[in-house]
């Protein structure tokens, strides 16, 4: 194939991965896209060109998937971020190229390439600037046959299985039918093994808990809503008041806990007495603790979710731990200020250091207490956020988020899919509370029971069980991710050793030259 054809294949691979994400949600597209990427890498003649293939794949995936970033910071930074993500995809692409064109047997080379996809994601979850794992393959598998495997090995296992299935498609295309069918079958078997290996326990009647999610909506679209933040708080108080009216009328059950979104009180009640009065009144009106999104200032500026009890006032807090670089924080601020004046629109927040769990019901003994695991907005994308919360006793999960800035873009749907995947991963009832959409109630199987539309005021209520068991992913997810990464590295080392041993044999030592003499 010509080089331009390989770059087109790589860009198409990124476009297909985007189609697997919500709201399109065509999960097979990621398998086909990764298969195209593997074909392009297997056809590369040099290691240098494998880097270009990786850049085209990473950049195109971001360009297709992240235009909503441009609605916040403009299209220059959005394109720049996409190019950076392309650069960060290059090392994994080179490693996949080297393993794929090595002297290792086909049954080892193709799974090795699949493992290196997960290895690249593992790196991007942690580095640079704390990581940006928004474009993991796993997020596009939420409605596919591999999604249940998330409870066994976390999102890394789902990404690996999708890449393994893609490798099987490549083998089938190359008429290695036994290898291809075997790889696809292994992926599907692991994806369907959940009922046997990690069944969802039957919930006890006393575990049933009534939860209300409030989407108060914002006065108008875009960044301008910040100028009306007191109106946002009043919207959430009013929606809660309407729920309280229905409870008193017998039209709704009394909630055990009420969840407001991130930034639902952008005016901090810890500095503004009127904001505190509004929240106090709302909690007293509904006679239940409200989990409120606001800011606290005990350790710099922190994005905080606080439990506001009707009897005790503010009690436990979760300060956001995983902050969004170039949004809530600004790396190289002094340097980049000379490039763009938009730099100073980024925050200068301080990360929290808690366990991600808040307890509700301390001052309301007539209601069921909840140990609520919180991942505020961007935090849901990181494996450690909910994993840490569940390991510290969280019996339900919530993703409070502020989507108003991103309007009607795909961002809110992409994030909803992540919360659904986390519900499956930890087998917990999960609640998404957004300022303007989409809010949702998700059961422990990852199914959405109720959801709002974008930019509508909506109150969602449901009775769902609390669970206290830990899935295999909660216990061993980090180790399983490490095992997949280690397998990819072992394959890479094996390929390097083989290349060194064959160096004296001319073509035998050059993976790219050897590729021209083999069929996969």
């Amino acid at each position: 194939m010509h080089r331009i054809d390989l770059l087109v294949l790589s860009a198409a691979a990124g476009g297909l991965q985007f189609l697997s994400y919500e709201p399109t949600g065509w999960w097979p597209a990621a398998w086909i896209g990764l298969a195209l990427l593997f074909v392009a890498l297997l056809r590369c003649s040099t290691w240098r060109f494998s880097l270009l293939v990786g850049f085209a794949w990473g950049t195109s995936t971001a360009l297709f998937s992240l235009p909503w970033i441009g609605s916040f910071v403009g299209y220059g930074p959005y394109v720049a971020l996409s190019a950076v993500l392309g650069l960060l995809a290059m090392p994994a692409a080179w490693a996949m190229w080297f393993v794929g064109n090595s002297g290792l047997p086909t049954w080892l080379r193709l799974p090795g390439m699949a493992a290196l996809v997960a290895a690249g994601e593992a790196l991007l979850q942690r580095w640079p600037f704390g990581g940006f794992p928004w474009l993991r393959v796993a997020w596009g598998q939420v409605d596919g046959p591999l999604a249940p495997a998330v409870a066994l090995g976390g999102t890394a296992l789902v990404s690996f299985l999708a890449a393994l299935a893609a490798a099987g498609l490549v083998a089938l295309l190359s008429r290695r039918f036994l290898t291809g069918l075997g790889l696809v079958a292994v992926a599907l078997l692991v994806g369907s093994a959940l009922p046997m290996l990690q069944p969802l326990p039957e919930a006890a009647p006393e575990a049933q808990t009534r939860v209300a999610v409030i989407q108060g909506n914002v006065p108008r679209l875009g960044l301008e809503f910040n100028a009306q933040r007191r109106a946002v708080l009043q919207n959430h108080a009013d929606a809660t008041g309407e729920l309280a009216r229905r409870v008193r009328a017998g039209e709704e059950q009394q909630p055990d806990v009420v969840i407001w979104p991130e930034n639902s009180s952008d005016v901090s009640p810890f500095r503004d007495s009127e904001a505190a009065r509004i929240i106090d009144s709302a909690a007293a009106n509904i006679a239940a603790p409200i989990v409120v999104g606001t800011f606290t200032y005990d350790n710099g500026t922190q994005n905080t979710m606080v439990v506001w009890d009707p009897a005790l006032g503010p009690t436990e807090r979760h300060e956001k731990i995983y902050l969004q670089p170039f949004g809530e924080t600004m790396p190289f601020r002094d340097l980049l200020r000379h490039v763009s004046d938009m730099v100073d629109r980024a925050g200068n927040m301080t990360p929290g250091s808690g366990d991600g769990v808040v307890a509700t019901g301390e001052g309301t003994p007539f209601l069921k207490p909840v140990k609520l695991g919180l991942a505020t907005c961007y935090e849901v994308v990181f494996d450690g956020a909910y994993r840490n919360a569940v390991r510290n006793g969280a019996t339900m999960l919530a993703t409070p988020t502020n989507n108003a800035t991103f309007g009607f873009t795909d961002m809110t749907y992409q994030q909803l899919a992540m919360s659904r995947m986390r519900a499956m991963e930890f087998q917990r009832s999960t609640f998404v509370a957004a300022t303007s959409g989409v809010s949702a109630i998700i059961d422990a199987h990852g199914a959405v029971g109720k959801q709002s539309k974008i930019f509508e005021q909506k109150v969602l209520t449901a009775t769902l069980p609390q669970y206290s068991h830990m899935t295999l992913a909660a216990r061993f997810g980090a180790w399983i991710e490490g095992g997949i990464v280690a397998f990819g590295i072992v394959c890479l080392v094996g390929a390097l050793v083989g290349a060194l041993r064959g160096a004296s044999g001319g073509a035998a030592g050059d993976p790219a030259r050897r590729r021209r003499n083999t069929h996969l």
Side-chain angles (χ1 to χ4, degrees):
M1 298 179 73
H2 296 294
R3 288 190 168 191
I4 188 65
D5 296 329
L6 298 180
L7 292 178
V8 170
L9 276 183
S10 307
L16 285 166
Q17 187 166 323
F18 156 70
L19 290 177
S20 73
Y21 298 143
E22 296 294 334
T24 307
W26 188 43
W27 58 265
W31 298 18
I32 300 170
L34 286 172
L36 293 182
L37 174 67
F38 292 161
V39 168
L41 290 169
L42 289 168
R43 300 292 181 182
C44 280
S45 58
T46 67
W47 68 267
R48 293 179 181 84
F49 198 74
S50 73
L51 298 178
L52 288 178
V53 166
F55 179 79
W57 168 55
T59 302
S60 65
T61 303
L63 285 173
F64 281 114
S65 306
L66 303 176
W68 48 266
I69 289 178
S71 66
F72 178 50
V73 295
Y75 285 94
Y78 147 64
V79 172
L81 172 63
S82 300
V84 168
L85 292 172
L87 292 171
L88 294 173
M90 291 166 67
W94 172 84
M96 285 187 273
W97 168 83
F98 200 92
V99 169
N101 290 287
S102 70
L104 297 174
T106 302
W107 59 266
L108 194 56
R109 280 187 285 148
L110 290 175
M113 294 177 75
L116 289 166
V117 171
E121 291 186 349
L123 175 64
L124 197 54
Q125 184 177 202
R126 297 163 173 86
W127 183 88
F129 311 122
F132 186 75
W134 195 277
L135 300 178
R136 300 183 86 161
V137 174
W139 306 134
Q141 301 300 302
V142 67
D143 285 316
L146 305 180
V150 74
L152 305 179
T155 51
L157 179 59
V158 177
S159 289
F160 171 64
L161 293 176
L164 194 67
L169 297 181
V170 174
L172 291 172
L173 186 65
S174 302
R175 299 183 180 180
R176 292 186 176 260
F177 297 112
L178 187 60
T179 299
L181 291 173
L183 294 177
V184 174
V186 167
L188 292 173
L189 284 172
V190 175
S192 62
L194 178 65
M196 294 178 289
L197 298 178
Q198 186 68 70
L200 182 66
E202 185 174 350
E206 60 270 18
Q208 300 295 326
T209 305
R210 190 70 174 177
V211 179
V213 173
I214 307 296
Q215 178 170 299
N217 206 1
V218 299
R220 61 177 185 246
L221 305 183
L223 291 172
E224 292 82 7
F225 87 95
N226 282 315
Q228 304 176 54
R229 56 188 186 272
R230 193 179 299 278
V232 175
L233 170 58
Q234 191 63 56
N235 281 357
H236 287 84
D238 290 346
T240 304
E242 174 59 21
L243 173 63
R245 185 198 64 77
R246 296 204 304 270
V247 169
R248 288 191 293 269
E251 300 169 4
E252 277 275 8
Q253 297 179 41
Q254 169 66 46
D256 295 297
V257 61
V258 178
I259 303 171
W260 285 8
E262 176 191 33
N263 300 132
S264 48
S265 183
D266 226 13
V267 180
S268 175
F270 298 98
R271 288 190 170 181
D272 187 292
S273 59
E274 177 62 13
R277 185 199 64 77
I278 291 172
I279 299 170
D280 261 331
S281 177
N285 199 7
I286 193 61
I290 302 175
V291 183
V292 179
T294 188
F295 295 98
T296 53
Y297 305 95
D298 297 336
N299 182 24
T301 301
Q302 293 186 295
N303 188 339
T304 301
M305 299 300 300
V306 58
V307 177
W308 206 283
D309 191 275
L312 303 176
T315 58
E316 299 199 3
R317 303 179 185 179
H318 165 66
E319 291 94 4
K320 191 172 183 179
I321 298 169
Y322 300 87
L323 299 179
Q324 182 184 0
F326 304 98
E328 293 170 312
T329 64
M330 188 66 219
F332 310 122
R333 185 186 298 270
D334 291 339
L335 175 64
L336 295 178
R337 186 178 285 124
H338 299 292
V339 178
S340 172
D341 57 4
M342 296 186 69
V343 164
D344 289 322
R345 292 172 64 178
N348 188 25
M349 294 188 182
T350 305
S353 58
D355 59 11
V357 182
V358 296
T360 71
E362 292 181 4
T364 48
F366 56 91
L367 301 179
K368 290 181 181 175
V370 178
K371 294 197 75 175
L372 188 66
L374 291 168
T376 305
C377 195
Y378 182 61
E379 291 189 303
V380 72
V381 79
F382 291 93
D383 291 344
Y386 274 146
R387 182 183 292 157
N388 188 44
V390 169
R391 291 172 68 91
N392 280 282
T395 56
M396 288 181 151
L397 304 177
T399 308
T401 182
N402 179 4
N403 304 129
T405 300
F406 303 107
F408 290 92
T409 67
D410 291 350
M411 182 271 185
T412 188
Y413 299 104
Q414 292 173 2
Q415 192 179 59
L416 174 60
M418 296 170 192
S419 292
R420 291 181 58 201
M421 189 67 83
R422 296 305 187 194
M424 286 187 274
E425 183 175 2
F426 301 110
Q427 293 183 336
R428 295 291 193 273
S429 306
T430 303
F431 310 96
V432 179
T435 49
S436 57
V438 173
S439 297
I441 292 176
I442 307 164
D443 69 17
H445 297 285
V448 177
K450 296 180 180 179
Q451 72 178 64
S452 69
K453 298 177 182 178
I454 296 178
F455 288 105
E456 71 165 339
Q457 187 172 105
K458 189 75 173 179
V459 175
L460 305 176
T461 57
T463 300
L464 290 172
Q466 298 187 53
Y467 291 106
S468 59
H469 70 288
M470 285 202 294
T471 62
L472 292 172
R475 293 177 183 271
F476 307 114
W479 290 97
I480 292 170
E481 180 188 43
I484 294 169
V485 172
F487 171 65
I489 292 174
V490 166
C491 291
L492 178 59
V493 170
L496 289 167
V497 170
L500 291 173
R501 286 179 176 176
S504 60
D510 184 344
R513 292 173 64 189
R514 186 191 305 114
R515 171 65 187 83
R516 290 195 288 270
N517 297 318
T518 61
H519 189 63
L520 194 58

